[in-house]
Amino acid sequence: MVNTLEFRDGVAKREKAAFRAYDSFSQSFEDYADFLSSSERYKDALKAGDDASMFAASLQKGGYATDPKYSDKIDSILSSKWFKGLPQ
């Protein structure tokens, strides 16, 4: 169990939660893909293709993150100078 900040009914609360741990990046990516593809909640996210903004918004709509600004934060990162000019 680790400390985390979760949003419940729009209110941020500190809680302890269990998170998965992996021995490698590839193991985590495989589990993430399996997690998304095995849930009806994320079917729209998987239809987003290469539209990362739509992917994040669909994940949020499906309940992936408790933060109500999850997709906005992802969009902010994607439009930051750190992502501009990266190969697609």
Side-chain angles (χ1 to χ4, degrees):
M1 300 290 271
V2 296
N3 291 321
T4 182
L5 182 66
E6 300 294 335
F7 288 79
R8 306 289 178 214
D9 297 319
V11 178
K13 295 188 177 194
R14 297 207 177 275
E15 10 180 289
K16 288 198 177 273
F19 286 87
R20 296 174 181 181
Y22 303 95
D23 294 324
S24 68
F25 287 120
S26 63
Q27 186 183 41
S28 69
F29 295 142
E30 287 172 17
D31 186 53
Y32 181 66
D34 183 56
F35 173 75
L36 295 182
S37 64
S38 66
S39 176
E40 185 70 18
R41 296 176 4 179
Y42 306 119
K43 68 178 181 177
D44 289 338
L46 297 176
K47 293 178 186 174
D50 62 358
D51 186 336
S53 181
M54 182 183 290
F55 179 74
S58 296
L59 285 180
Q60 182 176 352
K61 184 178 176 186
Y64 181 78
T66 63
D67 185 341
K69 296 190 181 270
Y70 174 79
S71 66
D72 292 337
K73 291 176 179 179
I74 299 296
D75 284 342
S76 177
I77 292 167
L78 293 171
S79 64
S80 74
K81 67 179 182 178
W82 304 108
F83 276 80
K84 294 193 189 282
L86 290 176
Q88 296 293 319

